[in-house]
Amino acid sequence: MAQELAAGPLRKMHTALETPVQYQMVLGEHLEPLNTLVGQALQLEYRGQINCIHCDRKTSKSFSQGYCYPCFKRLAQCDSCIVSPEKCHYHQGTCREPQWGETHCMIDHIVYLANTSGLKVGITRHSQVPTRWMDQGATQALPIFRVGSRYQSGLVETLFKQHVADKTSWQAMLKGANDEVDLEAQRQRLVAECAAQVEALQAEHGLQAISVLEGQPETRIDYPVLEYPAKVKSFNLDKSPTIEGTLMGIKGQYLIFDTGVINLRKYGGYQVALHRL
């Protein structure tokens, strides 16, 4: 008989950088440790209700990984500049929530190189290192710039993504460990290739606003995975509200079952129960 371990509104998993990464499923106020469940038969049950992760109102559909439509249209954290920071319009006086922008965007950010489904460039708030890397399923990561705002990090990232990917192929990321990448050698190559453009940004924004990071330690990340899938099949809670299978591992924000994978971050606000079979 199935044993209910926890139930409540789903949020992205909590992570701790250990060997391997330690995961907790967040269901309302309950934090369910997941590493000890790897190798066990589990069931995820979507109970047909979604509550906005910001205002908690019931919504028939979620937007931007868990928001109701009014919040999606109103909140700065749902604006297009969150995905494309070079489009930040705070300096134009048109930020949806200037105070939120000051605390989340007008602060130091890190531009980094990571090995997820291969080499990529990315950005994150300085306070989100190394959480961002674990959420992406990176096995290696290296900070390469420290910049004064999200907008400036987007400008630097835009330069680098002309030479290296800025997206992760989640299917490839879930198929196993990538070949090791010499991130320091790649950093030196890319900094050299983008030197003139970086100097132009520094001249415009100031040397203190865009600082090249050298000699930073590389972070290596291991994940609790018994076996990677040969073929990646993704579950959709809207179409299949009950998911069952043996939990073979966890990587990024994905649970890897022997029957398929699911990105828990995609279903923020969904009322879900976790059972052991």
Side-chain angles (χ1 to χ4, degrees), residues 111-271:
V111 183
Y112 61 87
L113 293 177
N115 183 6
T116 54
S117 55
L119 182 67
K120 74 176 289 287
V121 63
I123 68 167
T124 190
R125 295 194 304 274
H126 67 92
S127 60
Q128 290 300 299
V129 172
T131 301
R132 177 64 173 162
W133 302 335
M134 292 184 284
D135 286 348
Q136 291 186 330
T139 53
Q140 301 170 257
L142 180 70
I144 59 174
F145 285 90
R146 191 178 188 99
V147 299
S149 71
R150 186 173 182 84
Y151 173 61
Q152 292 160 349
S153 71
L155 297 178
V156 175
E157 183 186 39
T158 297
L159 297 180
F160 276 70
K161 69 183 184 182
Q162 298 174 36
H163 305 273
V164 65
D166 68 327
K167 299 285 192 300
T168 296
S169 168
W170 61 271
Q171 296 98 330
M173 182 271 290
L174 290 173
K175 284 187 175 180
N178 300 314
D179 293 336
E180 187 172 317
V181 175
D182 188 336
L183 293 184
E184 174 57 24
Q186 293 295 332
R187 183 196 73 81
Q188 293 179 24
R189 174 181 70 85
L190 290 164
V191 167
E193 289 177 350
C194 298
Q197 297 99 317
V198 170
E199 288 175 6
L201 289 178
Q202 290 172 326
E204 181 180 354
H205 297 273
L207 288 172
Q208 297 301 315
I210 300 173
S211 302
V212 178
L213 296 177
E214 297 180 337
Q216 296 294 302
E218 177 184 311
T219 298
R220 291 177 176 253
I221 307 173
D222 295 314
Y223 296 91
V225 179
L226 295 178
E227 184 179 328
Y228 287 100
K231 184 176 181 181
V232 178
K233 171 193 172 185
S234 180
F235 287 119
N236 184 331
L237 286 180
D238 294 308
K239 297 179 179 179
S240 303
T242 300
I243 295 169
E244 294 183 357
T246 299
L247 182 63
M248 303 306 293
I250 316 166
K251 190 176 184 185
Q253 283 290 317
Y254 284 84
L255 298 183
I256 304 171
F257 292 96
D258 61 348
T259 50
V261 306
I262 182 169
N263 178 6
L264 292 189
R265 189 168 193 172
K266 179 179 178 181
Y267 298 100
Y270 280 55
Q271 296 287 336

Side-chain angles (χ1 to χ4, degrees), residues 13-124:
M13 289 181 283
H14 285 187
T15 56
L17 183 57
E18 299 180 24
T19 305
V21 174
Q22 294 297 303
Y23 282 94
Q24 292 176 312
M25 182 181 285
V26 182
L27 291 165
E29 298 298 317
H30 187 83
L31 303 179
E32 181 67 29
L34 289 178
N35 289 55
T36 56
L37 298 179
V38 174
Q40 298 189 32
L42 303 176
Q43 180 192 78
L44 281 180
E45 176 196 2
Y46 167 44
R47 292 181 166 172
Q49 180 176 317
I50 307 171
N51 292 79
C52 174
I53 63 174
H54 181 78
C55 72
D56 199 41
R57 80 177 76 192
K58 290 183 181 179
T59 177
S60 59
K61 182 180 179 181
S62 74
F63 299 83
S64 192
Q65 299 178 334
Y67 297 90
C68 65
Y69 189 71
C71 285
F72 171 68
K73 295 297 290 184
R74 177 176 59 85
L75 298 175
Q77 57 201 286
C78 297
D79 205 344
S80 61
C81 53
I82 296 301
V83 176
S84 303
E86 70 278 7
K87 297 178 181 178
C88 172
H89 46 95
Y90 178 94
H91 56 288
Q92 298 174 13
T94 53
C95 181
R96 292 179 179 182
E97 297 176 278
Q99 187 173 0
W100 189 91
E102 289 171 11
T103 57
H104 289 78
C105 301
M106 307 306 290
I107 59 173
D108 281 3
H109 278 61
I110 297 296
V111 183
Y112 61 87
L113 293 177
N115 183 6
T116 54
S117 55
L119 182 67
K120 74 176 289 287
V121 63
I123 68 167
T124 190

